[in-house]
Amino acid sequence: MSPRTSHPHPSAASPDSAQAAVASAHLMNTYARPATVFTHGRGCRLYDAEGREYLDFLGGIAVNALGHAHPRMVSVIRRQAARAIHISNLYHHLYQAPLAARLAQLSGLDRVFFTNSGAEAVEAALKLARAFALAHAPAGSPLAPSRILALENSFHGRTFGALSVTHSSKYRLPFAPLVPGVEFIPLNDVAALRRAFTADVCALILEPIQGEGGIHSVSEAFWNAARELATHHGAALIADEIQCGLGRTGRPFAFQKFSSLPDMVVVAKPLAGGLPLGALLASERFASAFSPGLHGTTFGGGPLTCATALEFLDVSQQPRLVANVRRRSLQIRSGLRALARRFDFIREIRGEGLILGVELARPGAPFVQAAFSHGLLINCTHENVLRLLPPFLITRRDVEEFLVKFEAALLAVIQPGAPQHAEAPAAIPRASSAAGKIEEP
Ligand SMILES: Cc1ncc(COP(=O)(O)O)c(C=O)c1O
């Protein structure tokens, strides 16, 4: 059967079915997508080609932290696109250094290298750790420390280096052999970390809150031990804040709940408001291991993305928005706890700020589908953890609507056929919260 006819489609001549046929014929088979075609968004809402509205509690997997079509993002992109989209990294432009200074000031680190994605920021961090180890290897020693420690359930990206420190064998095995010398430690197992952290280690990479791994947080004891061991061995402690960083926890960086700094931090996803931009931040000590020619990129840190990222940081660091992240988090968690008292298959609610996970005692995929058909976008990670990464500007009413739709999705799966009370996706876009407007609770 031709792929054009085998792809499911919602209605015979819909824009969705036409797109689905082309997608099925010409896109590589890397994502299992529903047939729906999204056309535009506003605030925390997305709209599909048939005019249905969806409450976006996934936010492009932590990218759309200011929602869709935020007026200040739109305006800076328009302005900068008309001035210069790309200027080679062979030259300075107006925005790269100021953005580096802003990230340094927010993080307490010193220097920045810009990339196009999270995985590339991880690659840069691993290379910097190796370059630093080589530069500081004792004179006469045959080999510089090169082993890398990472955590079980970690996710750091799909390129070879990043994949090598990503734990899940389903991502790794088809591409082996990967970069050698990586060892995985169980999360928060201080004794295992101490056993593995020997003098030949050049880096430990960890997510302060594991995203793809099911929203699990690094404990203070583990962080402190990691800091102590890395300092003792002259190895790099690398915090991967690609998913949990840049305001999502209610702090600029998730690691800032601990009392010590990492040596490097990698960020990406929301940094340029949806344009592709990542960054490696490092202390002066480690950053000094890079010199001209050792690492580079064509696109990373161009004027369009950097100008937009400066605007993103200005907007996302406003005290009112930071307070909103914390308040909405409390509201979501208290609503979910109430649901957990009624639905005994909700095992645990985890996370902080607006990176939250709901662990179920059963597979999560049917709930994601049911939520979708009720006009709610969430996803499932680690098979049974429903993940919420809504934009920072969600309002109290958005959260109330989320809880109604989430409950309807739970009921739709466990009692198929029972009457549902939550609204299905509206056929015509309804009045929604204006992009950028934050309603006080
Ligand atoms: C913690 C973490 N690190 C790295 C990555 C890879 O980022 P990218 O997809 O931009 O390469 C991701 C992506 O989901 C991530 O969540």
Side-chain angles (χ1 to χ4, degrees):
M1 189 194 280
S2 128
R4 281 169 199 276
T5 52
S6 66
H7 200 287
H9 49 78
S11 63
S14 68
D16 295 358
S17 62
Q19 274 282 338
V22 180
S24 166
H26 294 294
L27 286 178
M28 292 225 187
N29 189 21
T30 51
Y31 286 91
R33 300 178 173 119
T36 306
V37 176
F38 288 104
T39 52
H40 64 287
R42 189 166 170 77
C44 60
R45 319 262 154 181
L46 264 180
Y47 300 91
D48 72 18
E50 299 197 339
R52 289 173 297 218
E53 180 183 284
Y54 298 78
L55 181 63
D56 185 0
F57 261 51
L58 187 56
I61 319 185
V63 170
N64 301 107
L66 298 181
H68 303 276
H70 189 286
R72 284 186 57 184
M73 294 290 108
V74 172
S75 145
V76 68
I77 291 167
R78 282 210 174 111
R79 188 196 71 212
Q80 188 53 36
R83 288 168 58 91
I85 293 174
H86 175 75
I87 291 173
S88 166
N89 271 317
L90 296 175
Y91 308 109
H92 285 297
H93 62 72
L94 282 174
Y95 305 105
Q96 196 179 95
L99 179 59
R102 185 95 170 88
L103 288 169
Q105 174 242 327
L106 283 172
S107 64
L109 296 174
D110 301 301
R111 289 183 187 272
V112 180
F113 176 83
F114 290 104
T115 65
N116 309 291
S117 67
E120 285 168 273
V122 171
E123 296 294 328
L126 300 178
K127 284 178 73 178
L128 184 62
R130 287 262 174 100
F132 177 87
L134 186 65
H136 291 79
S141 72
L143 285 177
S146 63
R147 279 178 64 231
I148 298 170
L149 303 181
L151 301 190
E152 290 182 2
N153 282 330
S154 60
F155 183 87
H156 297 290
R158 309 279 193 160
T159 52
F160 268 93
L163 192 58
S164 304
V165 290
T166 290
H167 182 241
S168 170
S169 50
K170 99 178 161 199
Y171 298 140
R172 299 166 58 83
L173 287 184
F175 305 103
L178 301 176
V179 175
V182 177
E183 187 178 336
F184 293 96
I185 314 292
L187 174 70
N188 295 334
D189 186 337
V190 174
L193 181 67
R194 288 195 185 282
R195 279 195 301 276
F197 214 133
T198 46
D200 54 355
V201 168
C202 72
L204 162 63
I205 183 166
L206 54 78
E207 298 154 85
I209 302 173
Q210 292 184 327
E212 303 302 307
I215 318 295
H216 291 281
S217 298
V218 162
S219 70
E220 190 166 7
F222 193 83
W223 177 272
N224 291 342
R227 180 62 280 169
E228 173 212 317
L229 289 159
T231 303
H232 178 72
H233 291 292
L237 173 57
I238 305 169
D240 180 342
E241 298 234 0
I242 288 163
Q243 190 162 144
C244 63
L246 296 176
R248 190 155 286 282
T249 56
R251 301 177 292 282
F253 294 91
F255 74 77
Q256 288 167 333
K257 74 174 170 196
F258 305 124
S259 55
S260 52
L261 291 179
D263 302 297
M264 302 184 205
V265 181
V266 283
V267 291
K269 289 185 179 279
L271 180 55
L275 294 179
L277 180 68
L280 161 64
L281 288 50
S283 66
E284 184 69 49
R285 178 171 145 80
F286 278 85
S288 65
F290 272 171
S291 53
L294 218 48
H295 194 55
T297 168
T298 295
F299 289 116
L304 180 64
T305 49
C306 287
T308 310
L310 279 165
E311 196 75 350
F312 168 75
L313 291 176
D314 271 359
V315 177
S316 64
Q317 294 301 314
Q318 285 169 359
R320 196 154 141 259
L321 196 52
V322 174
N324 193 60
V325 168
R326 298 195 183 128
R327 285 199 198 106
R328 299 291 71 87
S329 177
L330 289 173
Q331 186 190 355
I332 296 172
R333 280 183 290 156
S334 102
L336 290 174
R337 277 198 300 273
L339 290 176
R341 286 194 284 276
R342 291 182 33 223
F343 296 93
D344 60 1
F345 58 90
I346 297 184
R347 262 199 206 138
E348 198 182 359
I349 295 147
R350 291 194 292 268
E352 55 175 313
L354 294 178
I355 173 165
L356 297 168
V358 182
E359 182 174 321
L360 306 180
R362 37 158 94 199
F367 296 94
V368 173
Q369 261 175 27
F372 193 90
S373 58
H374 284 86
L376 171 65
L377 303 183
I378 56 173
N379 90 335
C380 172
T381 187
H382 225 247
E383 312 301 334
N384 64 338
V385 181
L386 300 179
R387 180 170 47 168
L388 312 175
L389 296 160
F392 301 172
L393 42 68
I394 46 168
T395 64
R396 181 168 47 81
R397 268 184 281 169
D398 293 330
V399 173
E400 285 163 5
E401 183 184 332
F402 157 75
L403 290 167
V404 169
K405 290 184 161 165
F406 191 79
E407 176 183 351
L410 297 179
L411 284 169
V413 175
I414 60 163
Q415 299 173 359
Q420 305 294 315
H421 298 299
E423 290 172 56
I428 297 172
R430 284 171 281 151
S432 56
S433 47
K437 181 171 168 287
I438 301 159
E439 182 189 293
E440 290 302 330

